Amino acid sequence: MRAEEDTDVSSCSSRSVNKPNGSLRSSLASPSQATVVLPTPFFPASLEGGSEQLNRQCPPLPSIFPALPYNETPTTIAEADVQTPDAWIKRGPELIRLTGKHPFNTEGPLTSVFDAGFLTPAHLHVVRNHGAVPQVTSATAYAEWKIEVHGLVFRPVTFSVQDLARLFTVRTFPVTICCAGNRRKEQNVVRKSLGFDWGSAGVSTSLWTGVYLADILDYVGIDKGAAKHVIFEGADVGLPKGPYGTSQKLSWAMNRERGMLICPFHFRKVMTIDLKIAIAWAMNGLPLEPDHGFPVRLIVPGQIGGRMVKWLTRIEISATESQHHLHYWDNKVLPMQLTPEQARNEPNWWYDPRYVVVFELNVNSVIVKPAHAEKLALLTTDTAGTYVSRGFAYAGGGRRISRVELSLDDGYTWSLAEVEYPEDRYRETTYEHPVYGKIDLTDRDTCFCWCFWTWSTSSSALVESDVLTVRAMDEGMNTQPRDMYLNATSMLNNWWFRVAIRKETRNDGVFLTFEHPAPVGKHSIPGWMERMQTAGEDFLHPIFGSGTRRVACETMDAKRETSTKEISMVRSGVTRKILPEDIRHQAKEHPWLVINGQVYDATGYLDEHPGGPDSICLMAGQDASEDFLAIHSSDAKRKLADYHIGTLCTPFKSSLPFLSTTNAINGDDIPFLDAQTWKSVALASIERINHDSAIYRFAFPKESETQLLGLPIGQHVFVRLRRKDTGEIAQRAYTPVSREGARGEIEFLIKLYLPSSRWPQGGMMTAGIDLLQKGDEVELKGPLGSFVWNGRGIATWRGKERRLRELGLVCGGSGITPILQVIRAVIHDSEDVQPKMYLISANKTEQDILCREEIDALRVEHRARLSVYYVLSAVDTLTEAWPYGRGRVSEQMLRQYLPEPPKKEKGSDEWDGEKMVLCCGPQGMIDGLKQGLRCIGWDVNTDLVVF
């Protein structure tokens, strides 16, 4: 899908400030239709005169993307700057100066930054300057500013800004920039560190436009045998120990997934819509302002702001990391036992390799609303009111914030907040524009931006509480700690963010005042940390109000004592006695099962079960004690009581213990698989298919080596194992890729989700499978599933037969396995010439396409019956010669490459039931597929099978 231009400012979200007279907002036409004339020169608005330039707004983007910010270009030079080297720069008057007059280090007021929306305008954006800002004219920026690329390269080059625009693909994507010192003032209240105070708004997000650093490195050619680091140097003025510089590992710099950008200013007088040659680069579509690196800077997504060199002049490829003074003497979290005085006087600590330079941000969250010093009056008549708290969270290294939790008792109980990820809207489509270049995150899963959370609670709950606390967790399971980690630089401070609730009771109600921990700037009252410090209280282990922590502790101790008792899985008052025969005679769609001698009716839970209804129906009429107790949590056991209907009169025959199941044989043609019994098989071989997938072949026991597998087409089996590293039992359903009629063995095509920096634990099941060696055993139970391909054009789904003449097939990654089963069965059915099949196979890269050789061979041999369309999301890996789809599976692709949806027969209320869509893939793909199918007329309840 390609987005259409939309300049209607009314479509902006309510969190954006929309103001009149946005000159470019209302005048820029669609890139596909117009020639765009930019200001001449394309120069920071704050450095130009005239009301038209001072009112310059961001070039518009389609409304599918988050709203662009409203820019209030500064018009005057602040009195604080008049006697400094920066006396030529106009700056936003709302910014809070953190280091006096000079150098300029600022953050915006917390509420103002938040209210500006997902994207932060330049006049509110965080600024970190180590010295004076280089004064650059438009002529210098365009013609004379050079970036030298040298060192361990085969072709040293000095680029102008114009060279970068001409030689490389220009890209735009959002990145959150955050100083490593964000929230530092909280630590400085405890003890003065080596750094100046930052509040909690030392963080901002913008659209950054430039070229991939990796493209530049590819162009100059790297001596990869010797090179290990990429060093960057800026043109900061007047630094006492040399220019500001830092470095990145070469392996990171070469990885486009990390998104490192060189972001320059650039202008052309007139630009036609030829995206290959005419590109302008900017911040939020406007030229970089002087404080933000004009004319060119480095952007490193997911890392601290100190790694993003401004006013970039030099890139050196080196065998060693940067030797710049501030590369070592800044941005380190030294041991908490080390005082700031020791760190200042003992240089060896800064060069100790155990205490590495900080690169990635850590997980953090902030409460914005209630604001500091906000007052809330709860009159006696307001008994049913609701208060909505809001804030933001962020993490580093591309890791997504997976949850945000709020507490009203200082962390003894927690509730989940609703989390909004505006960054995801850039993944929904691709777009090209003469200023922004290429906007395309459709192939990127990493998260480099803040997210926003919302949490509602009753007003009465606020009155009863003394503190509101927030914490966040990222997808690597990194979370904020309860206690502060004091360090000499006070960097990466991310203990729980708490807002104290102060109460005043009057005759007409209760009046609340909220206190943030240690806000910067001018406020009517101090933060609660400063208040407690003045009162001589322990603000590192705070007790709010009348003793929230102590009271909550006593409550939680009582709860823990209760939780240690055996969990009851029965419902009080249920006395019914049930015979085994009554259980076995229940219909499959109304499954009863037995756990520890108690009987449960699972009918009402089929649609809610995370593992799907099939795994429950498989155990209908049986003793499921072993399966249930092995893999279910305490919460699941408590929930089971809701479905308790009675007690078994006569015991069922006990199920066999794990990994000790016998494999009874009643002849070679009796299927090996048994839906009621776990059967052990041994790993016989592993065949690597690509970088993360392999075919695992398991052999039946010797006495069953010629026995029929017995797997109907479209069905899958449960596989369970005991992990060799942790001893945990893991269980999951897989569709084998074994051929129909297979004997003595079973084959699974498995995509491995192994531990990585993004997923430290890897996949519970596949990480266990990866540890298997030849001869190791796993257990199987099956077949199971609600869909079976019977042959001769007939399928059974949910117990009903359907004759089909057309099949739509959609799969993602290893979801090809059940689809391939059906394709093979249909193609090789000699008694049927129908149905025709339409396959859409979605993957990230061409190397990720599984079973492609077999699918392409079937397509060539049976063109009249099988069409195939591949879709790849990693569009950057594709050449112009790629003949298939790019990006995500879209509604247009479904219209074009799947059968038309069923239609009603004339004069009948019945739908044509001779078509179905079968799909298998990740949940995100399934959700998008359902939405797309509905849009083009499919009934996903009756005609979509999800394996």
Side-chain angles (χ1 to χ4, degrees), residues 79-151:
E79 182 179 350
D81 289 321
V82 171
Q83 301 298 321
T84 74
D86 294 342
W88 55 280
I89 304 175
K90 301 168 187 174
R91 287 163 166 158
E94 198 175 354
L95 290 169
I96 301 169
R97 293 178 180 249
L98 305 173
T99 50
K101 294 183 178 181
H102 187 78
F104 189 64
N105 291 287
T106 65
E107 62 183 83
L110 179 60
T111 301
S112 298
V113 173
F114 184 79
D115 287 344
F118 174 67
L119 298 174
T120 312
H123 66 274
L124 288 175
H125 199 285
V126 59
V127 177
R128 174 70 173 103
N129 292 343
H130 293 85
V133 176
Q135 189 166 1
V136 183
T137 66
S138 60
T140 300
Y142 183 68
E144 300 174 21
W145 193 277
K146 303 293 183 181
I147 303 171
E148 180 187 8
V149 184
H150 65 106

Side-chain angles (χ1 to χ4, degrees), residues 802-806 900-906 908-916 938 942-943:
R802 299 273 296 268
R803 180 171 291 279
L804 301 170
R805 57 183 176 83
E806 288 187 310
E900 293 183 358
K903 299 177 181 178
K904 285 184 179 179
E905 299 290 344
K906 287 185 178 181
S908 172
D909 290 333
E910 298 295 324
W911 289 89
D912 168 14
E914 296 188 348
K915 301 178 183 180
M916 292 188 81
W938 285 86
T942 60
D943 298 321

Side-chain angles (χ1 to χ4, degrees), residues 820-836:
L820 182 59
Q821 268 196 2
V822 175
I823 292 174
R824 286 171 176 170
V826 172
I827 291 294
H828 298 306
D829 188 346
S830 60
E831 299 184 36
D832 188 16
V833 295
Q834 288 189 340
K836 181 170 182 178

Side-chain angles (χ1 to χ4, degrees), residues 589-606:
E589 58 270 24
H590 300 288
W592 289 11
L593 40 90
V594 176
I595 299 174
N596 283 359
Q598 302 298 323
V599 183
Y600 300 87
D601 182 356
T603 306
Y605 191 59
L606 291 177

